[in-house]
Amino acid sequence: MNLILLGAPGAGKGTQAEVISSKLGIPQISTGNILRAAVKNGTEWGLKAKAFMDAGDLVPDDVVIGILKDRIAESDCAKGFILDGFPRTVPQAEALETMGVVIDKVIEISVPDEDIKNRLGGRRVCESCGASYHVEFNPTKAEGVCDKCGGKVVQRADDAPETVLNRLATYHEATAPLVDFYKGRGKLTTVIGQSEVSDTSKLVLDAVNA
Ligand code: AP5
C-alpha cells in the first residue's frame, strides 16, 4: 500500500506515520527527516537546503523530487511506503504520477492553526532517529532521551514562533491545493486531528483499513 499523509506543519503527520509504519510494516519516508540528515552530514545539497529550511520555506522541487525518487527505489519500499511531507506542491504530486507511482490513499490530518502553534512550541525530536515527541501531549519516558533509540531529544530550529508562522503561510499557499488535487482523483480522506495522539491514530488506521 502506498500512502500519503497530508497536513499543515505540526498536524501530526510524522507521529501518525510511525503508527501506521509499525502496524503495516512499511517504511515511513519523511522528506524533512532526509533533508535534516543531509544538513547534519554537510552534504552539498544539504547545505543548500539549510537556508530554505531555517527560514520555513520549501526546498526547490527538483531537489526534493530527486531525493524522493532515490528513496522509493530502495528495496524496503517494494511492498509500499508512507510519504510524510511529500508531495508539498502540485508539481511534486505531478512528478509522482510521471514516475508511475500509484498512490492508494491520501490521508489529510486537519488541525486549526492555533493548535498547530501550541504543538510546535512543545515539540521535541530525536537528533539520531527523528522520532517526534511533545513535552505535554507525548513526552519521552526519561527527559531528553529518545524512547526508541536512546538518542538526544531536542527542539527543532524551525519550531521558533516566527518561523512557524511562515511555515503555516507556505502550507496554505503551496500545499493546501493538494487537498483538491487528490479529492479530484478520489483518493482523499480527511481526518480531524484529535487532542489525544491515540484518538487520531484510531481515525487514521480506520481510514487505511488497518
Ligand atoms: P518537515 O519535517 O516535513 O516538517 P513539517 O511538514 O513542517 O511537518 P512537521 O514535521 O513539523 O510536523 P508533523 O505534521 O510531522 O507533526 P508531528 O507528528 O511532528 O519539513 C521541514 C522542512 O523541510 C520544510 O519546512 C521544508 O523546508 C523542507 N521540506 C520537507 N519536505 C519538503 C518537500 N516535499 N518539498 C519542499 N521542502 C520540503 O507533530 C507535531 C507535534 O505535535 C509533536 O510534538 C507531536 O508530539 C504533537 N502531536 C502530534 N499529534 C498530536 C495530537 N493528536 N495531540 C496533541 N499533540 C500532538
Side-chain angles (χ1 to χ4, degrees):
M1 172 143 22
N2 296 332
L3 300 171
I4 291 173
L5 287 181
L6 200 60
K13 302 180 297 294
T15 302
Q16 298 305 329
E18 284 176 32
V19 172
I20 305 173
S21 173
S22 55
K23 182 92 181 174
L24 297 183
I26 54 176
Q28 165 192 7
I29 300 177
S30 159
T31 42
N33 284 350
I34 295 171
L35 287 165
R36 276 184 290 279
V39 170
K40 197 173 163 191
N41 295 333
T43 66
E44 190 189 335
W45 52 262
L47 293 175
K48 282 184 196 154
K50 187 176 185 310
F52 293 98
M53 297 173 76
D54 285 350
D57 294 330
L58 294 181
V59 174
D61 285 338
D62 57 339
V63 173
V64 189
I65 290 166
I67 290 171
L68 196 275
K69 199 172 180 180
D70 289 348
R71 180 63 187 89
I72 61 177
E74 289 179 29
S75 59
D76 64 331
C77 293
K79 289 186 183 158
F81 47 77
I82 305 153
L83 298 183
D84 157 14
F86 187 100
R88 242 181 169 94
T89 62
V90 170
Q92 290 180 19
E94 289 169 346
L96 270 182
E97 294 185 341
T98 305
M99 285 178 222
V101 174
V102 177
I103 296 299
D104 297 291
K105 285 189 180 171
V106 179
I107 314 291
E108 178 203 9
I109 306 177
S110 175
V111 175
D113 284 5
E114 277 313 305
D115 294 353
I116 294 285
K117 291 173 200 164
N118 292 333
R119 287 186 185 193
L120 293 183
R123 173 167 57 186
R124 300 293 181 269
V125 291
C126 176
E127 270 186 339
S128 303
C129 74
S132 175
Y133 301 93
H134 191 281
V135 289
E136 187 184 345
F137 307 127
N138 182 24
T140 51
K141 291 190 182 99
E143 200 180 324
V145 181
C146 179
D147 294 353
K148 298 202 169 83
C149 75
K152 190 175 169 198
V153 171
V154 297
Q155 183 160 37
R156 252 169 61 174
D158 62 350
D159 281 346
E162 62 281 8
T163 313
V164 167
L165 289 182
N166 188 38
R167 287 165 64 199
L168 276 170
T170 303
Y171 173 78
H172 289 297
E173 187 187 330
T175 310
L178 291 174
V179 170
D180 282 341
F181 181 94
Y182 284 114
K183 208 182 268 176
R185 281 157 175 73
K187 309 264 185 196
L188 189 89
T189 302
T190 299
V191 161
I192 305 296
Q194 307 292 306
S195 53
E196 290 287 332
V197 171
S198 59
D199 290 339
T200 306
S201 299
K202 280 184 203 134
L203 298 174
V204 168
L205 291 172
D206 275 354
V208 296
N209 300 319

